[in-house]
Amino acid sequence: GQQVMQIPQYQHVQEGEDFTTYCNSSTTLSNIQWYKQRPGGHPVFLIQLVKSGEVKKQKRLTFQFGEAKKNSSLHITATQTTDVGTYFCAGRTSGTYKYIFGTGTRLKVLA
Amino acid sequence: DARVTQTPRHKVTEMGQEVTMRCQPILGHNTVFWYRQTMMQGLELLAYFRNRAPLDDSGMPKDRFSAEMPDATLATLKIQPSEPRDSAVYFCASGFWTVNTEAFFGQGTRLTVV
C-alpha cells in the first residue's frame, strides 16, 4: 500500500537556525498537505500543494512539491521557539479522498 | 469559532470493555475521518465517510472496531472488546470535500486500556 516517509525523525536546532523536513511517497500524489502538531495538541493544517514543482511561502516557511509529485519539503528559516512541534505531510492519490500521513518530524528549538 | 468536538477527551477502561468515542464535525462539512495516533505507528487512517456513507474502513481492525455516522452531526467509533494495544489518541477530522481541501482536527480522545 501507499507509504509516506519523512526524514529526519527528530531535529534539534538552536533558535535562529534553519530547519528542513523531507517527505517521500512510494506513489505519485495528486496533492500534498502539511500539518503542524504542537506537543499535546492536534494536527493543524498549514498548506496544500497541488502542482508539480510548486513552491509556496508563508512568512518564514517555504513548501515545495517535487517535479514528479512524489516528494515534498518544508523549510523554516530562522527558527523560533514557537516553531516547536511535529510536522506532518499528508499525501493523497487521485481517485480517493484518503490522505496518508507521513511519519512526522519532531522539531525542538533550543533558546 | 467552528471546531470539531470530540468526547470524551480522556477514557480509561479495562480490557474487554466496550468503548465509544464521539465526534461532532463542523456544521456543513461532508467528510469525516477517524485517525489513530501512537508513538510507534504515527497517524493511521482508520476510516472515512463522505455524506455519511463509509468510503473506506480498510485501516480498521474489523473484528473489534466499528465506525458509523447516525446523522450529519455525529460520528462514532466503537471498540468492542477493547484491548491494551488499542491505547492511543483517536482523532476525528472533518472537511468539506470538493477538491483539495483541508481537514480540521478535533482535540482527540486519549484512550488507555488497562
Side-chain angles (χ1 to χ4, degrees):
Chain A
Q2 182 191 356
Q3 289 187 320
V4 181
M5 303 297 292
Q6 281 182 254
I7 54 170
Q9 192 175 359
Y10 300 97
Q11 183 85 60
H12 293 182
V13 299
Q14 289 288 334
E15 189 174 21
E17 291 182 340
D18 292 357
F19 159 77
T20 304
T21 173
Y22 299 91
C23 174
N24 294 289
S25 170
S26 58
T27 56
T28 302
L29 300 172
S30 179
N31 64 296
I32 196 160
Q33 297 179 341
W34 284 90
Y35 290 79
K36 176 184 177 181
Q37 184 176 22
R38 288 202 163 95
H42 57 280
V44 174
F45 176 83
L46 293 176
I47 209 160
Q48 176 166 264
L49 304 168
V50 179
K51 299 176 185 173
S52 168
E54 188 171 13
V55 178
K56 284 190 177 180
K57 293 192 177 186
Q58 282 181 353
K59 297 182 182 177
R60 296 179 293 104
L61 278 60
T62 302
F63 303 84
Q64 206 160 4
F65 202 5
E67 293 290 339
K69 300 184 79 172
K70 293 183 76 173
N71 55 67
S72 181
S73 65
L74 157 59
H75 180 81
I76 302 178
T77 304
T79 54
Q80 299 175 358
T81 54
T82 53
D83 296 324
V84 164
T86 302
Y87 292 85
F88 292 96
C89 61
R92 182 178 73 90
T93 52
S94 65
T96 174
Y97 291 99
K98 192 167 154 174
Y99 280 88
I100 303 299
F101 274 73
T103 46
T105 296
R106 184 180 293 182
L107 172 65
K108 188 169 183 176
V109 180
L110 307 171
Chain B
D1 185 24
R3 62 175 69 182
V4 176
T5 303
Q6 288 187 247
T7 55
R9 293 289 313 278
H10 302 271
K11 176 74 176 178
V12 180
T13 192
E14 290 186 348
M15 183 173 63
Q17 295 298 306
E18 177 178 302
V19 176
T20 299
M21 290 168 270
R22 292 177 173 82
C23 167
Q24 181 177 1
I26 292 173
L27 189 64
H29 282 183
N30 65 353
T31 307
V32 173
F33 302 85
W34 282 105
Y35 286 92
R36 175 171 64 183
Q37 187 172 37
T38 60
M39 288 295 292
M40 296 300 296
Q41 300 296 327
L43 268 165
E44 303 172 271
L45 178 64
L46 298 176
Y48 73 103
F49 295 76
R50 185 163 181 256
N51 295 326
R52 295 176 55 202
L55 287 193
D56 190 325
D57 61 1
S58 58
M60 220 162 56
K62 299 289 191 302
D63 55 339
R64 299 182 300 107
F65 283 59
S66 63
E68 295 180 344
M69 277 201 77
D71 61 60
T73 63
L74 177 65
T76 63
L77 180 66
K78 286 187 184 178
I79 308 174
Q80 168 63 16
S82 56
E83 298 180 3
R85 60 181 167 149
D86 301 329
S87 297
V89 180
Y90 291 81
F91 287 106
C92 171
S94 74
F96 184 75
W97 241 257
T98 50
V99 178
N100 301 329
T101 54
E102 67 188 272
F104 293 81
F105 279 74
Q107 307 269 41
T109 294
R110 181 174 294 276
L111 174 65
T112 304
V113 183
V114 297

mmCIF file of all heavy atoms in Angstrom, chain B residues 64-110:
data_model
loop_
_atom_site.group_PDB
_atom_site.id
_atom_site.type_symbol
_atom_site.label_atom_id
_atom_site.label_comp_id
_atom_site.label_asym_id
_atom_site.label_seq_id
_atom_site.Cartn_x
_atom_site.Cartn_y
_atom_site.Cartn_z
ATOM 1 N N ARG B 64 -13.161 -5.889 15.856
ATOM 2 C CA ARG B 64 -13.495 -5.222 17.108
ATOM 3 C C ARG B 64 -13.866 -3.744 16.953
ATOM 4 O O ARG B 64 -14.418 -3.147 17.854
ATOM 5 C CB ARG B 64 -12.308 -5.337 18.073
ATOM 6 C CG ARG B 64 -11.937 -6.758 18.427
ATOM 7 C CD ARG B 64 -10.783 -6.827 19.422
ATOM 8 N NE ARG B 64 -9.579 -6.203 18.907
ATOM 9 C CZ ARG B 64 -9.111 -5.029 19.322
ATOM 10 N NH1 ARG B 64 -9.735 -4.359 20.271
ATOM 11 N NH2 ARG B 64 -7.992 -4.537 18.809
ATOM 12 N N PHE B 65 -13.560 -3.160 15.832
ATOM 13 C CA PHE B 65 -13.816 -1.742 15.615
ATOM 14 C C PHE B 65 -15.006 -1.556 14.682
ATOM 15 O O PHE B 65 -15.179 -2.314 13.724
ATOM 16 C CB PHE B 65 -12.603 -1.067 14.966
ATOM 17 C CG PHE B 65 -11.445 -0.787 15.895
ATOM 18 C CD1 PHE B 65 -10.825 -1.818 16.582
ATOM 19 C CD2 PHE B 65 -10.979 0.510 16.062
ATOM 20 C CE1 PHE B 65 -9.756 -1.560 17.425
ATOM 21 C CE2 PHE B 65 -9.902 0.771 16.895
ATOM 22 C CZ PHE B 65 -9.283 -0.263 17.577
ATOM 23 N N SER B 66 -15.782 -0.523 14.966
ATOM 24 C CA SER B 66 -16.838 -0.143 14.033
ATOM 25 C C SER B 66 -16.999 1.368 14.058
ATOM 26 O O SER B 66 -16.845 1.998 15.100
ATOM 27 C CB SER B 66 -18.157 -0.840 14.377
ATOM 28 O OG SER B 66 -18.609 -0.440 15.655
ATOM 29 N N ALA B 67 -17.289 1.933 12.896
ATOM 30 C CA ALA B 67 -17.490 3.372 12.774
ATOM 31 C C ALA B 67 -18.805 3.627 12.055
ATOM 32 O O ALA B 67 -19.125 2.939 11.090
ATOM 33 C CB ALA B 67 -16.331 4.011 12.009
ATOM 34 N N GLU B 68 -19.528 4.626 12.567
ATOM 35 C CA GLU B 68 -20.826 4.952 11.974
ATOM 36 C C GLU B 68 -21.049 6.458 12.000
ATOM 37 O O GLU B 68 -20.404 7.173 12.761
ATOM 38 C CB GLU B 68 -21.960 4.296 12.790
ATOM 39 C CG GLU B 68 -21.974 2.796 12.767
ATOM 40 C CD GLU B 68 -23.114 2.230 13.590
ATOM 41 O OE1 GLU B 68 -23.695 2.959 14.411
ATOM 42 O OE2 GLU B 68 -23.430 1.046 13.400
ATOM 43 N N MET B 69 -21.990 6.892 11.159
ATOM 44 C CA MET B 69 -22.469 8.277 11.227
ATOM 45 C C MET B 69 -23.980 8.235 11.270
ATOM 46 O O MET B 69 -24.641 8.244 10.221
ATOM 47 C CB MET B 69 -21.989 9.079 10.020
ATOM 48 C CG MET B 69 -20.593 9.613 10.177
ATOM 49 S SD MET B 69 -20.251 11.006 9.092
ATOM 50 C CE MET B 69 -21.100 12.344 9.948
ATOM 51 N N PRO B 70 -24.564 8.168 12.465
ATOM 52 C CA PRO B 70 -26.021 8.083 12.581
ATOM 53 C C PRO B 70 -26.724 9.292 11.955
ATOM 54 O O PRO B 70 -27.835 9.172 11.446
ATOM 55 C CB PRO B 70 -26.266 8.051 14.088
ATOM 56 C CG PRO B 70 -24.961 7.718 14.708
ATOM 57 C CD PRO B 70 -23.885 8.146 13.762
ATOM 58 N N ASP B 71 -26.095 10.454 12.034
ATOM 59 C CA ASP B 71 -26.609 11.633 11.336
ATOM 60 C C ASP B 71 -25.438 12.558 11.011
ATOM 61 O O ASP B 71 -24.292 12.271 11.371
ATOM 62 C CB ASP B 71 -27.704 12.348 12.141
ATOM 63 C CG ASP B 71 -27.229 12.848 13.483
ATOM 64 O OD1 ASP B 71 -26.284 13.671 13.501
ATOM 65 O OD2 ASP B 71 -27.775 12.416 14.509
ATOM 66 N N ALA B 72 -25.745 13.658 10.369
ATOM 67 C CA ALA B 72 -24.685 14.542 9.870
ATOM 68 C C ALA B 72 -23.928 15.239 10.981
ATOM 69 O O ALA B 72 -22.853 15.805 10.742
ATOM 70 C CB ALA B 72 -25.280 15.579 8.917
ATOM 71 N N THR B 73 -24.463 15.228 12.190
ATOM 72 C CA THR B 73 -23.803 15.937 13.287
ATOM 73 C C THR B 73 -23.084 15.002 14.245
ATOM 74 O O THR B 73 -22.546 15.436 15.256
ATOM 75 C CB THR B 73 -24.834 16.754 14.101
ATOM 76 O OG1 THR B 73 -25.772 15.855 14.705
ATOM 77 C CG2 THR B 73 -25.574 17.743 13.210
ATOM 78 N N LEU B 74 -23.070 13.715 13.949
ATOM 79 C CA LEU B 74 -22.460 12.774 14.885
ATOM 80 C C LEU B 74 -21.777 11.632 14.158
ATOM 81 O O LEU B 74 -22.362 10.966 13.304
ATOM 82 C CB LEU B 74 -23.519 12.200 15.833
ATOM 83 C CG LEU B 74 -23.037 11.144 16.835
ATOM 84 C CD1 LEU B 74 -22.035 11.742 17.822
ATOM 85 C CD2 LEU B 74 -24.227 10.532 17.580
ATOM 86 N N ALA B 75 -20.526 11.411 14.522
ATOM 87 C CA ALA B 75 -19.788 10.232 14.057
ATOM 88 C C ALA B 75 -19.332 9.479 15.297
ATOM 89 O O ALA B 75 -18.962 10.095 16.302
ATOM 90 C CB ALA B 75 -18.575 10.635 13.224
ATOM 91 N N THR B 76 -19.404 8.157 15.248
ATOM 92 C CA THR B 76 -18.983 7.352 16.394
ATOM 93 C C THR B 76 -17.955 6.318 15.975
ATOM 94 O O THR B 76 -17.983 5.812 14.852
ATOM 95 C CB THR B 76 -20.181 6.637 17.052
ATOM 96 O OG1 THR B 76 -20.758 5.736 16.108
ATOM 97 C CG2 THR B 76 -21.223 7.626 17.543
ATOM 98 N N LEU B 77 -17.074 6.025 16.916
ATOM 99 C CA LEU B 77 -16.091 4.955 16.737
ATOM 100 C C LEU B 77 -16.188 4.061 17.971
ATOM 101 O O LEU B 77 -16.045 4.542 19.092
ATOM 102 C CB LEU B 77 -14.684 5.525 16.605
ATOM 103 C CG LEU B 77 -13.553 4.509 16.413
ATOM 104 C CD1 LEU B 77 -13.683 3.788 15.075
ATOM 105 C CD2 LEU B 77 -12.185 5.195 16.507
ATOM 106 N N LYS B 78 -16.492 2.791 17.729
ATOM 107 C CA LYS B 78 -16.661 1.856 18.845
ATOM 108 C C LYS B 78 -15.593 0.780 18.808
ATOM 109 O O LYS B 78 -15.220 0.299 17.722
ATOM 110 C CB LYS B 78 -18.028 1.175 18.777
ATOM 111 C CG LYS B 78 -19.166 2.054 19.172
ATOM 112 C CD LYS B 78 -20.479 1.267 19.247
ATOM 113 C CE LYS B 78 -21.619 2.205 19.547
ATOM 114 N NZ LYS B 78 -22.914 1.543 19.580
ATOM 115 N N ILE B 79 -15.157 0.392 19.982
ATOM 116 C CA ILE B 79 -14.227 -0.734 20.114
ATOM 117 C C ILE B 79 -14.869 -1.717 21.089
ATOM 118 O O ILE B 79 -15.226 -1.362 22.206
ATOM 119 C CB ILE B 79 -12.853 -0.300 20.663
ATOM 120 C CG1 ILE B 79 -12.284 0.866 19.855
ATOM 121 C CG2 ILE B 79 -11.889 -1.485 20.629
ATOM 122 C CD1 ILE B 79 -10.989 1.438 20.435
ATOM 123 N N GLN B 80 -15.066 -2.948 20.622
ATOM 124 C CA GLN B 80 -15.665 -3.970 21.476
ATOM 125 C C GLN B 80 -15.172 -5.345 21.051
ATOM 126 O O GLN B 80 -15.468 -5.779 19.940
ATOM 127 C CB GLN B 80 -17.201 -3.901 21.383
ATOM 128 C CG GLN B 80 -17.946 -5.079 21.983
ATOM 129 C CD GLN B 80 -17.756 -5.252 23.480
ATOM 130 O OE1 GLN B 80 -17.304 -4.349 24.167
ATOM 131 N NE2 GLN B 80 -18.089 -6.422 23.968
ATOM 132 N N PRO B 81 -14.459 -6.064 21.898
ATOM 133 C CA PRO B 81 -13.936 -5.648 23.200
ATOM 134 C C PRO B 81 -12.612 -4.897 23.060
ATOM 135 O O PRO B 81 -11.864 -5.133 22.115
ATOM 136 C CB PRO B 81 -13.706 -6.997 23.892
ATOM 137 C CG PRO B 81 -13.329 -7.920 22.768
ATOM 138 C CD PRO B 81 -14.129 -7.454 21.571
ATOM 139 N N SER B 82 -12.339 -4.015 23.990
ATOM 140 C CA SER B 82 -11.099 -3.249 23.929
ATOM 141 C C SER B 82 -9.923 -4.089 24.442
ATOM 142 O O SER B 82 -10.101 -5.012 25.266
ATOM 143 C CB SER B 82 -11.221 -1.963 24.751
ATOM 144 O OG SER B 82 -11.575 -2.266 26.093
ATOM 145 N N GLU B 83 -8.734 -3.767 23.935
ATOM 146 C CA GLU B 83 -7.507 -4.452 24.326
ATOM 147 C C GLU B 83 -6.445 -3.406 24.647
ATOM 148 O O GLU B 83 -6.516 -2.281 24.131
ATOM 149 C CB GLU B 83 -7.026 -5.360 23.195
ATOM 150 C CG GLU B 83 -7.991 -6.469 22.843
ATOM 151 C CD GLU B 83 -7.479 -7.357 21.720
ATOM 152 O OE1 GLU B 83 -6.340 -7.137 21.246
ATOM 153 O OE2 GLU B 83 -8.219 -8.290 21.332
ATOM 154 N N PRO B 84 -5.449 -3.774 25.459
ATOM 155 C CA PRO B 84 -4.398 -2.805 25.801
ATOM 156 C C PRO B 84 -3.720 -2.194 24.572
ATOM 157 O O PRO B 84 -3.348 -1.019 24.589
ATOM 158 C CB PRO B 84 -3.420 -3.641 26.633
ATOM 159 C CG PRO B 84 -4.288 -4.659 27.297
ATOM 160 C CD PRO B 84 -5.337 -5.009 26.268
ATOM 161 N N ARG B 85 -3.587 -2.932 23.486
ATOM 162 C CA ARG B 85 -2.935 -2.398 22.281
ATOM 163 C C ARG B 85 -3.774 -1.334 21.578
ATOM 164 O O ARG B 85 -3.292 -0.681 20.649
ATOM 165 C CB ARG B 85 -2.630 -3.519 21.295
ATOM 166 C CG ARG B 85 -3.852 -4.279 20.822
ATOM 167 C CD ARG B 85 -3.483 -5.378 19.880
ATOM 168 N NE ARG B 85 -4.593 -6.304 19.652
ATOM 169 C CZ ARG B 85 -4.791 -6.959 18.522
ATOM 170 N NH1 ARG B 85 -3.954 -6.824 17.520
ATOM 171 N NH2 ARG B 85 -5.813 -7.788 18.379
ATOM 172 N N ASP B 86 -5.014 -1.162 22.008
ATOM 173 C CA ASP B 86 -5.849 -0.092 21.453
ATOM 174 C C ASP B 86 -5.549 1.257 22.102
ATOM 175 O O ASP B 86 -6.069 2.296 21.665
ATOM 176 C CB ASP B 86 -7.341 -0.406 21.650
ATOM 177 C CG ASP B 86 -7.746 -1.709 20.991
ATOM 178 O OD1 ASP B 86 -7.142 -2.066 19.955
ATOM 179 O OD2 ASP B 86 -8.648 -2.383 21.523
ATOM 180 N N SER B 87 -4.731 1.271 23.128
ATOM 181 C CA SER B 87 -4.388 2.527 23.801
ATOM 182 C C SER B 87 -3.710 3.459 22.808
ATOM 183 O O SER B 87 -2.709 3.097 22.177
ATOM 184 C CB SER B 87 -3.468 2.258 24.996
ATOM 185 O OG SER B 87 -4.122 1.467 25.965
ATOM 186 N N ALA B 88 -4.262 4.655 22.679
ATOM 187 C CA ALA B 88 -3.791 5.605 21.663
ATOM 188 C C ALA B 88 -4.593 6.886 21.805
ATOM 189 O O ALA B 88 -5.528 6.967 22.612
ATOM 190 C CB ALA B 88 -3.994 5.029 20.260
ATOM 191 N N VAL B 89 -4.257 7.872 20.998
ATOM 192 C CA VAL B 89 -5.102 9.051 20.859
ATOM 193 C C VAL B 89 -5.874 8.896 19.549
ATOM 194 O O VAL B 89 -5.276 8.648 18.493
ATOM 195 C CB VAL B 89 -4.296 10.358 20.837
ATOM 196 C CG1 VAL B 89 -5.236 11.554 20.679
ATOM 197 C CG2 VAL B 89 -3.471 10.501 22.114
ATOM 198 N N TYR B 90 -7.185 9.022 19.637
ATOM 199 C CA TYR B 90 -8.042 8.886 18.470
ATOM 200 C C TYR B 90 -8.531 10.281 18.063
ATOM 201 O O TYR B 90 -9.133 11.006 18.862
ATOM 202 C CB TYR B 90 -9.226 7.969 18.782
ATOM 203 C CG TYR B 90 -8.792 6.533 18.968
ATOM 204 C CD1 TYR B 90 -8.262 6.096 20.183
ATOM 205 C CD2 TYR B 90 -8.883 5.620 17.919
ATOM 206 C CE1 TYR B 90 -7.824 4.790 20.341
ATOM 207 C CE2 TYR B 90 -8.456 4.307 18.068
ATOM 208 C CZ TYR B 90 -7.924 3.901 19.275
ATOM 209 O OH TYR B 90 -7.491 2.605 19.437
ATOM 210 N N PHE B 91 -8.239 10.634 16.824
ATOM 211 C CA PHE B 91 -8.640 11.939 16.302
ATOM 212 C C PHE B 91 -9.752 11.778 15.270
ATOM 213 O O PHE B 91 -9.709 10.879 14.433
ATOM 214 C CB PHE B 91 -7.465 12.644 15.613
ATOM 215 C CG PHE B 91 -6.426 13.184 16.546
ATOM 216 C CD1 PHE B 91 -5.194 12.557 16.666
ATOM 217 C CD2 PHE B 91 -6.664 14.336 17.281
ATOM 218 C CE1 PHE B 91 -4.214 13.055 17.517
ATOM 219 C CE2 PHE B 91 -5.694 14.843 18.132
ATOM 220 C CZ PHE B 91 -4.468 14.198 18.253
ATOM 221 N N CYS B 92 -10.687 12.675 15.355
ATOM 222 C CA CYS B 92 -11.685 12.831 14.318
ATOM 223 C C CYS B 92 -11.335 14.117 13.564
ATOM 224 O O CYS B 92 -10.862 15.094 14.171
ATOM 225 C CB CYS B 92 -13.065 12.938 14.966
ATOM 226 S SG CYS B 92 -14.394 13.386 13.843
ATOM 227 N N ALA B 93 -11.533 14.121 12.271
ATOM 228 C CA ALA B 93 -11.295 15.325 11.475
ATOM 229 C C ALA B 93 -12.435 15.464 10.478
ATOM 230 O O ALA B 93 -13.003 14.455 10.027
ATOM 231 C CB ALA B 93 -9.955 15.243 10.745
ATOM 232 N N SER B 94 -12.777 16.681 10.141
ATOM 233 C CA SER B 94 -13.814 16.875 9.129
ATOM 234 C C SER B 94 -13.370 17.896 8.100
ATOM 235 O O SER B 94 -12.463 18.699 8.346
ATOM 236 C CB SER B 94 -15.144 17.301 9.774
ATOM 237 O OG SER B 94 -15.109 18.650 10.222
ATOM 238 N N GLY B 95 -14.008 17.838 6.959
ATOM 239 C CA GLY B 95 -13.699 18.780 5.892
ATOM 240 C C GLY B 95 -14.863 18.840 4.935
ATOM 241 O O GLY B 95 -15.744 17.973 4.947
ATOM 242 N N PHE B 96 -14.869 19.908 4.104
ATOM 243 C CA PHE B 96 -15.866 19.955 3.043
ATOM 244 C C PHE B 96 -15.155 19.609 1.756
ATOM 245 O O PHE B 96 -14.379 20.393 1.233
ATOM 246 C CB PHE B 96 -16.523 21.327 2.941
ATOM 247 C CG PHE B 96 -17.612 21.338 1.913
ATOM 248 C CD1 PHE B 96 -18.824 20.733 2.178
ATOM 249 C CD2 PHE B 96 -17.412 21.912 0.670
ATOM 250 C CE1 PHE B 96 -19.832 20.699 1.220
ATOM 251 C CE2 PHE B 96 -18.410 21.890 -0.297
ATOM 252 C CZ PHE B 96 -19.619 21.281 -0.016
ATOM 253 N N TRP B 97 -15.412 18.424 1.277
ATOM 254 C CA TRP B 97 -14.644 17.921 0.161
ATOM 255 C C TRP B 97 -15.254 18.266 -1.184
ATOM 256 O O TRP B 97 -16.219 17.661 -1.633
ATOM 257 C CB TRP B 97 -14.467 16.404 0.279
ATOM 258 C CG TRP B 97 -13.019 16.090 0.376
ATOM 259 C CD1 TRP B 97 -12.224 15.612 -0.600
ATOM 260 C CD2 TRP B 97 -12.189 16.314 1.516
ATOM 261 N NE1 TRP B 97 -10.932 15.495 -0.129
ATOM 262 C CE2 TRP B 97 -10.880 15.927 1.144
ATOM 263 C CE3 TRP B 97 -12.408 16.817 2.799
ATOM 264 C CZ2 TRP B 97 -9.810 16.013 2.033
ATOM 265 C CZ3 TRP B 97 -11.353 16.900 3.673
ATOM 266 C CH2 TRP B 97 -10.063 16.505 3.291
ATOM 267 N N THR B 98 -14.673 19.249 -1.812
ATOM 268 C CA THR B 98 -14.927 19.440 -3.231
ATOM 269 C C THR B 98 -13.664 18.902 -3.905
ATOM 270 O O THR B 98 -13.609 17.740 -4.251
ATOM 271 C CB THR B 98 -15.148 20.924 -3.576
ATOM 272 O OG1 THR B 98 -14.076 21.695 -3.014
ATOM 273 C CG2 THR B 98 -16.456 21.416 -3.002
ATOM 274 N N VAL B 99 -12.662 19.697 -4.002
ATOM 275 C CA VAL B 99 -11.354 19.224 -4.447
ATOM 276 C C VAL B 99 -10.303 19.862 -3.558
ATOM 277 O O VAL B 99 -10.306 21.055 -3.366
ATOM 278 C CB VAL B 99 -11.075 19.652 -5.916
ATOM 279 C CG1 VAL B 99 -9.687 19.204 -6.353
ATOM 280 C CG2 VAL B 99 -12.119 19.068 -6.834
ATOM 281 N N ASN B 100 -9.422 19.044 -3.030
ATOM 282 C CA ASN B 100 -8.244 19.582 -2.347
ATOM 283 C C ASN B 100 -8.550 20.558 -1.214
ATOM 284 O O ASN B 100 -8.169 21.731 -1.269
ATOM 285 C CB ASN B 100 -7.330 20.273 -3.364
ATOM 286 C CG ASN B 100 -6.884 19.325 -4.440
ATOM 287 O OD1 ASN B 100 -6.744 18.138 -4.206
ATOM 288 N ND2 ASN B 100 -6.659 19.848 -5.630
ATOM 289 N N THR B 101 -9.244 20.105 -0.223
ATOM 290 C CA THR B 101 -9.495 20.982 0.923
ATOM 291 C C THR B 101 -8.892 20.401 2.190
ATOM 292 O O THR B 101 -8.629 19.216 2.282
ATOM 293 C CB THR B 101 -10.993 21.206 1.133
ATOM 294 O OG1 THR B 101 -11.641 19.947 1.231
ATOM 295 C CG2 THR B 101 -11.583 21.996 -0.013
ATOM 296 N N GLU B 102 -8.712 21.263 3.165
ATOM 297 C CA GLU B 102 -8.026 20.869 4.384
ATOM 298 C C GLU B 102 -8.946 20.100 5.318
ATOM 299 O O GLU B 102 -10.175 20.193 5.222
ATOM 300 C CB GLU B 102 -7.514 22.107 5.106
ATOM 301 C CG GLU B 102 -8.643 22.994 5.640
ATOM 302 C CD GLU B 102 -8.139 24.312 6.177
ATOM 303 O OE1 GLU B 102 -7.787 24.342 7.373
ATOM 304 O OE2 GLU B 102 -8.106 25.274 5.394
ATOM 305 N N ALA B 103 -8.329 19.362 6.236
ATOM 306 C CA ALA B 103 -9.066 18.671 7.288
ATOM 307 C C ALA B 103 -8.884 19.427 8.597
ATOM 308 O O ALA B 103 -7.788 19.879 8.925
ATOM 309 C CB ALA B 103 -8.561 17.238 7.435
ATOM 310 N N PHE B 104 -9.978 19.571 9.327
ATOM 311 C CA PHE B 104 -9.956 20.215 10.636
ATOM 312 C C PHE B 104 -10.028 19.106 11.685
ATOM 313 O O PHE B 104 -10.993 18.332 11.698
ATOM 314 C CB PHE B 104 -11.145 21.167 10.792
ATOM 315 C CG PHE B 104 -11.079 22.356 9.896
ATOM 316 C CD1 PHE B 104 -11.473 22.263 8.570
ATOM 317 C CD2 PHE B 104 -10.632 23.584 10.362
ATOM 318 C CE1 PHE B 104 -11.409 23.364 7.719
ATOM 319 C CE2 PHE B 104 -10.573 24.690 9.530
ATOM 320 C CZ PHE B 104 -10.963 24.578 8.201
ATOM 321 N N PHE B 105 -9.043 19.070 12.561
ATOM 322 C CA PHE B 105 -8.973 18.004 13.550
ATOM 323 C C PHE B 105 -9.614 18.425 14.864
ATOM 324 O O PHE B 105 -9.516 19.594 15.278
ATOM 325 C CB PHE B 105 -7.510 17.634 13.827
ATOM 326 C CG PHE B 105 -6.919 16.714 12.802
ATOM 327 C CD1 PHE B 105 -6.576 17.183 11.540
ATOM 328 C CD2 PHE B 105 -6.705 15.369 13.097
ATOM 329 C CE1 PHE B 105 -6.023 16.332 10.589
ATOM 330 C CE2 PHE B 105 -6.157 14.509 12.151
ATOM 331 C CZ PHE B 105 -5.812 14.993 10.905
ATOM 332 N N GLY B 106 -10.224 17.450 15.524
ATOM 333 C CA GLY B 106 -10.681 17.656 16.887
ATOM 334 C C GLY B 106 -9.515 17.516 17.857
ATOM 335 O O GLY B 106 -8.384 17.235 17.455
ATOM 336 N N GLN B 107 -9.812 17.725 19.134
ATOM 337 C CA GLN B 107 -8.773 17.682 20.167
ATOM 338 C C GLN B 107 -8.314 16.257 20.473
ATOM 339 O O GLN B 107 -7.290 16.064 21.107
ATOM 340 C CB GLN B 107 -9.287 18.325 21.459
ATOM 341 C CG GLN B 107 -9.848 19.719 21.276
ATOM 342 C CD GLN B 107 -8.772 20.762 21.483
ATOM 343 O OE1 GLN B 107 -7.650 20.609 21.048
ATOM 344 N NE2 GLN B 107 -9.125 21.832 22.146
ATOM 345 N N GLY B 108 -9.087 15.284 20.047
ATOM 346 C CA GLY B 108 -8.704 13.890 20.251
ATOM 347 C C GLY B 108 -9.274 13.296 21.532
ATOM 348 O O GLY B 108 -9.632 14.014 22.476
ATOM 349 N N THR B 109 -9.381 11.975 21.525
ATOM 350 C CA THR B 109 -9.737 11.203 22.719
ATOM 351 C C THR B 109 -8.539 10.336 23.079
ATOM 352 O O THR B 109 -8.101 9.510 22.263
ATOM 353 C CB THR B 109 -10.954 10.293 22.462
ATOM 354 O OG1 THR B 109 -12.114 11.088 22.235
ATOM 355 C CG2 THR B 109 -11.193 9.367 23.659
ATOM 356 N N ARG B 110 -8.012 10.552 24.277
ATOM 357 C CA ARG B 110 -6.873 9.731 24.722
ATOM 358 C C ARG B 110 -7.431 8.504 25.434
ATOM 359 O O ARG B 110 -8.024 8.614 26.496
ATOM 360 C CB ARG B 110 -5.955 10.519 25.653
ATOM 361 C CG ARG B 110 -4.750 9.715 26.131
ATOM 362 C CD ARG B 110 -3.790 10.577 26.936
ATOM 363 N NE ARG B 110 -3.184 11.612 26.112
ATOM 364 C CZ ARG B 110 -2.121 11.443 25.341
ATOM 365 N NH1 ARG B 110 -1.519 10.264 25.297
ATOM 366 N NH2 ARG B 110 -1.628 12.446 24.649
#
